[in-house]
Amino acid sequence: MKIVLVGNPNVGKSAFFSRLTGVNVIISNYPGTTFEFIEGSMNLNGKSTKIIDVPGIYNLDPNCKADEAAIKIIEEADLIINIVDSTNLERNLYLTLQIMEKNIPMVIALNFWDETKHKGIKIDPQKIEELIGLPAIPTVSITGEGIKNIVTKLSHAKTHSHKYSEDEKWAKIGEIVQNAQKIEHKKHSFLELCEDLSIKPLTGLPIALLVIALIFWFVRFIGEGTIKYVVEPLFSLLEPLMLFFSNLLGPGILNDILIGPLIDGRIDYSGSMGVLTTGLFVPFAMIGPYIISFYIVLGILEDSGYLPRLAALVDNLTHKLGMHGIAIIPMLLSLGCKVPGVLATRILETKRQRFIATTLMIIAMPCMGQMAMVFGMLGKFGIKGLGIFFASLFIFWAILGLMLHKIMKGKTPETFSEIPPYRVPFSRSILKKTWLRTRSFMLNAIPFIALGVLLINILHILGVVAFVGRLLEPVVSTLFGLPKETVGALIMGFFRKDVAAGMLMPLQLTMNQLVTVNVILTMYFPCLATFSILFKEMGFKDSLKSITIMVLSTIIAGTSLNLLLNFF
Amino acid sequence: MEKSLFDLKKGHKGIIKKIPECHDCYKKLSSLNVRVGKKIQKVVNQPLNGPVVVKIDRSNIFMGKRIAMKILVEEEL
């Protein structure tokens, strides 16, 4: 048995899902696509029942790639829980009437029931049941109120096979709303005041800047703190075990590959390039804490309803680069990891927008793994080093976007999007989301890190790194002003940007060189995981185009940074 | 007085009289409850031809300038 949760975006569906399911939650792919949905299970009358959370939709007329798959999942459901925002009944019921036409047993959850009271809305669930012919139960997914009631009502789920025309649907909705809902005028609440302040440009723009600064501050503060006080001490505790293992292996190639060279008789976790030392230290101690703190902030931003406001504020800028303001969401996601970032570009309706967004993302957005390393390396030069690094990437991002928008055929369709009300995020769904995202990041990163570390070791031993180093030396040293030792890191960058950045640490580079090499490392090639998802999402031809643009931009950016930084 | 949603002043309200005809956007507009006969309030126009933010019932919506120019409203005085 398969129960599917369906509703408009921002109706508290993920909190609802968290309430229904236990710990065993997985992200699944719709067969034959990369469309992701969340799947969990619950115990229903002694039987384990699958619960599926599909991303929110406004109607069943597919208008972008993601919706089509969502509709297919809905059609395959045995039972539907339609989650409705009670504070926005009229609009939400439109989807309800459309789903009813699919003839699948359904119950309706009138969610955010608590908010109706603050907002002066009185709804009679009995009346709704009568008029619509399906069970309708008030719920508050965040506190869990009414969820039990929904579960007991699942056996009363009904089908209802009216076919309404478009106008009949709205007439029916009008009838329901008129009979089952009464609205009293209430004064603006504090959250509503915040809504106004953050959308009006005069106050909204400073708030946006503050929010972005806070994101970076929080991610660094939590990330650095966890590394310093929790993870590094843990790895120090592991050191005797590693040393014991190293002694056991004795000197030789195997020791070089697994543990790497010791420094003053101690394990060199970050620089030794051992599969068991650096290969584990990088994902768990150098980037893991940043990833977790980033996903917590992102979850809070998503669930509070701030992101669409940010989208409305930046829409102006992004339209000049050929994208909707909504493109800010995949862009932000890609700051964590580009794999989910590239996938999230699906919320943009046209192929042209997706191409621009993906190309800009893979070229000019650093991922958290790499940023974690950059914070470590450039942080010691104060705000200046980090400032130049991020400012140069932003400038390249903007210039490249402007050019792509100018050159590419076609137009950007007009923006049209909902801005949900502010809501206090539900800690349990944020933790669940953070856990899911971190897990999929780690599962993706660890094999690539291990593989990358292993391969780079072998290439070192075989002398390939030195050979390619000599080959690329003219480009790297003449154009970019970097020592040829950086070539090893650039090769590593094909596998993992974070490990690659780590390889730069022992090289004693100047601040200018560090800025240049990190910008190049960000731009010149996406890591293997991103590369494979790029091909899957964009196809061979577009990926090739994107990569050509990438190589050209890297050469231009690296050379101009080298010239500019050394000139001033 | 009838005017485009774009020209409606900040904070002013009106009733929607006409929405653009293209089929796709009609569908999408209506599923967000932007329909003829609905009461709509202008929240703000983002500067430099940016999107227009409006309020219908209890939800806020933002839309590109070109869509807002094509939506006609009867202003409530």
Side-chain angles (χ1 to χ4, degrees):
Chain A
M1 171 122 152
K2 217 164 31 178
I3 300 179
V4 179
L5 306 184
V6 192
N8 281 189
N10 315 301
V11 293
K13 230 155 35 68
S14 58
F16 205 98
F17 179 79
S18 289
R19 285 277 165 201
L20 284 177
T21 56
V23 215
N24 287 322
V25 170
I26 47 168
I27 299 179
S28 305
N29 275 51
Y30 189 77
T33 66
T34 34
F35 173 76
E36 285 180 341
F37 58 91
I38 302 177
E39 199 179 307
S41 63
M42 69 177 281
N43 192 323
L44 189 66
N45 307 326
K47 271 188 224 154
S48 171
T49 308
K50 241 191 224 175
I51 311 276
I52 292 173
D53 181 14
V54 246
I57 45 173
Y58 291 108
N59 55 54
L60 295 183
D61 326 303
N63 39 33
C64 60
K65 245 178 154 182
D67 288 357
E68 271 171 49
I71 292 165
K72 279 198 186 115
I73 293 174
I74 293 168
E75 284 167 348
E76 288 165 11
D78 296 308
L79 206 151
I80 289 174
I81 302 179
N82 173 216
I83 299 162
V84 165
D85 175 356
S86 328
T87 67
N88 227 321
L89 202 54
E90 188 176 87
R91 196 197 70 207
N92 279 248
L93 285 175
Y94 179 73
L95 178 67
T96 308
L97 292 190
Q98 278 197 322
I99 312 170
M100 280 166 67
E101 291 176 352
K102 300 278 174 201
N103 257 324
I104 298 166
M106 178 157 95
V107 290
I108 298 170
L110 299 166
N111 205 23
F112 296 134
W113 190 255
D114 53 336
E115 276 184 35
T116 57
K117 289 167 202 154
H118 316 308
K119 292 192 172 170
I121 304 166
K122 277 199 183 119
I123 295 172
D124 180 357
Q126 214 66 45
K127 257 274 142 13
I128 294 182
E129 275 200 40
E130 247 168 62
L131 287 166
I132 233 171
L134 298 174
I137 296 123
T139 58
V140 184
S141 56
I142 288 181
T143 61
E145 193 187 321
I147 303 277
K148 264 202 185 129
N149 217 342
I150 284 273
V151 175
T152 47
K153 280 280 165 80
L154 286 179
S155 51
H156 301 265
K158 283 181 200 161
T159 56
H160 212 77
S161 56
H162 265 300
K163 285 265 180 213
Y164 296 107
S165 72
E166 191 71 10
D167 288 338
E168 282 167 351
K169 275 196 193 91
W170 286 113
K172 179 80 188 167
I173 292 167
E175 186 197 341
I176 299 169
V177 170
Q178 199 149 48
N179 287 298
Q181 175 180 274
K182 275 200 188 75
I183 295 177
E184 292 160 14
H185 194 71
K186 279 260 167 118
K187 263 200 195 155
H188 269 218
S189 69
F190 173 69
L191 281 179
E192 281 169 304
L193 181 73
C194 295
E195 280 171 20
D196 275 1
L197 287 177
S198 55
I199 197 74
K200 292 190 173 148
L202 213 58
T203 40
L205 286 170
I207 291 174
L209 289 176
L210 192 71
V211 168
I212 290 169
L214 271 176
I215 300 175
F216 276 94
W217 177 82
F218 179 87
V219 170
R220 265 192 84 183
F221 181 75
I222 300 288
E224 265 169 25
T226 322
I227 289 173
K228 202 167 165 194
Y229 297 108
V230 184
V231 204
E232 277 184 353
L234 278 176
F235 270 88
S236 299
L237 287 178
L238 277 177
E239 209 178 325
L241 190 75
M242 294 284 181
L243 282 171
F244 172 76
F245 194 58
S246 171
N247 278 329
L248 204 71
L249 286 170
I253 285 190
L254 211 56
N255 196 343
D256 285 348
I257 289 179
L258 290 178
I259 305 288
L262 304 181
I263 292 181
D264 302 330
R266 298 197 58 185
I267 297 285
D268 174 20
Y269 279 118
S270 59
S272 67
M273 287 293 134
V275 175
L276 290 177
T277 49
T278 306
L280 288 176
F281 190 72
V282 168
F284 289 109
M286 295 180 92
I287 52 181
Y290 284 103
I291 290 291
I292 295 174
S293 55
F294 175 74
Y295 282 142
I296 291 176
V297 193
L298 188 72
I300 294 174
L301 282 179
E302 282 174 332
D303 287 11
S304 64
Y306 183 67
L307 292 181
R309 286 177 176 79
L310 190 60
L313 283 170
V314 299
D315 191 76
N316 230 333
L317 168 72
T318 56
H319 253 86
K320 299 204 167 46
L321 316 183
M323 299 174 292
H324 276 180
I326 294 290
I328 198 79
I329 294 173
M331 289 290 171
L332 271 175
L333 252 171
S334 77
L335 286 177
C337 172
K338 284 183 209 166
V339 173
V342 171
L343 286 175
T345 57
R346 288 159 167 263
I347 56 173
L348 303 168
E349 305 97 322
T350 58
K351 213 176 157 197
R352 180 177 185 270
Q353 278 194 80
R354 278 201 294 274
F355 180 84
I356 296 178
T358 313
T359 306
L360 291 185
M361 183 188 292
I362 58 172
I363 297 181
M365 305 285 286
C367 67
M368 193 45 73
Q370 194 192 350
M371 273 192 279
M373 299 301 208
V374 172
F375 286 145
M377 269 185 282
L378 282 171
K380 62 173 182 269
F381 298 104
I383 198 77
K384 197 177 162 200
L386 286 173
I388 302 176
F389 172 74
F390 284 111
S392 352
L393 282 177
F394 178 74
I395 292 168
F396 292 129
W397 180 83
I399 294 178
L400 200 59
L402 282 172
M403 281 168 45
L404 284 175
H405 183 43
K406 272 259 144 53
I407 296 165
M408 285 182 73
K409 268 183 248 147
K411 274 192 287 191
T412 317
E414 285 292 281
T415 310
F416 180 70
S417 176
E418 189 197 5
I419 306 176
Y422 278 139
R423 290 196 165 106
V424 180
F426 176 43
S427 55
R428 216 158 106 179
S429 36
I430 292 199
L431 289 179
K432 208 168 224 181
K433 230 180 335 192
T434 305
W435 158 240
L436 280 171
R437 284 174 164 162
T438 307
R439 189 175 63 176
S440 93
F441 176 88
M442 285 296 180
L443 288 177
N444 191 329
I446 293 168
F448 277 110
I449 290 177
L451 186 78
V453 168
L454 182 73
L455 271 172
I456 204 83
N457 265 321
I458 295 172
L459 293 180
H460 239 310
I461 294 166
L462 294 177
V464 179
V465 175
F467 175 73
V468 180
R470 271 197 300 280
L471 219 62
L472 287 180
E473 199 185 342
V475 182
V476 172
S477 61
T478 324
L479 289 182
F480 303 156
L482 298 169
K484 70 170 191 295
E485 288 76 18
T486 51
V487 170
L490 292 176
I491 296 176
M492 183 68 211
F494 282 98
F495 301 97
R496 290 294 302 182
K497 303 272 177 171
D498 31 39
V499 187
M503 287 172 71
L504 299 169
M505 285 181 184
L507 296 183
Q508 310 285 339
L509 300 176
T510 63
M511 186 186 87
N512 287 350
Q513 284 175 324
L514 277 172
V515 170
T516 313
V517 75
N518 276 302
V519 168
I520 290 171
L521 202 54
T522 309
M523 293 178 76
Y524 83 109
F525 193 81
C527 66
L528 262 186
T530 311
F531 189 67
S532 61
I533 209 81
L534 180 75
F535 264 83
K536 256 195 232 162
E537 284 294 295
M538 299 220 299
F540 184 74
K541 222 173 112 192
D542 278 353
S543 301
L544 216 62
K545 264 191 229 162
S546 205
I547 288 166
T548 315
I549 299 172
M550 185 184 316
V551 173
L552 289 176
S553 328
T554 310
I555 294 174
I556 295 169
T559 313
S560 46
L561 262 180
N562 178 28
L563 289 175
L564 284 172
L565 288 177
N566 290 318
F567 189 73
F568 291 109
Chain B
M1 194 178 68
E2 219 166 85
K3 54 169 77 172
S4 84
L5 187 54
F6 180 79
D7 293 324
L8 194 67
K9 287 217 167 58
K10 199 159 94 177
H12 288 211
K13 291 174 188 166
I15 305 279
I16 301 177
K17 287 288 162 195
K18 195 172 165 237
I19 61 173
E21 269 172 16
C22 70
H23 186 70
D24 275 4
C25 58
Y26 164 68
K27 276 280 188 188
K28 228 183 148 190
L29 286 169
S30 73
S31 62
L32 276 181
N33 222 351
V34 180
R35 297 179 288 127
V36 171
K38 288 295 295 182
K39 199 172 184 177
I40 194 165
Q41 185 182 13
K42 174 62 108 11
V43 178
V44 75
N45 279 358
Q46 297 291 348
L48 307 168
N49 294 326
V52 170
V53 184
V54 294
K55 196 168 193 174
I56 287 194
D57 290 342
R58 276 153 306 280
S59 60
N60 285 291
I61 293 164
F62 73 100
M63 57 177 86
K65 181 187 168 187
R66 269 180 293 165
I67 300 183
M69 304 257 282
K70 284 186 216 147
I71 296 177
L72 292 184
V73 293
E74 172 82 47
E75 188 171 354
E76 269 186 2
L77 299 170

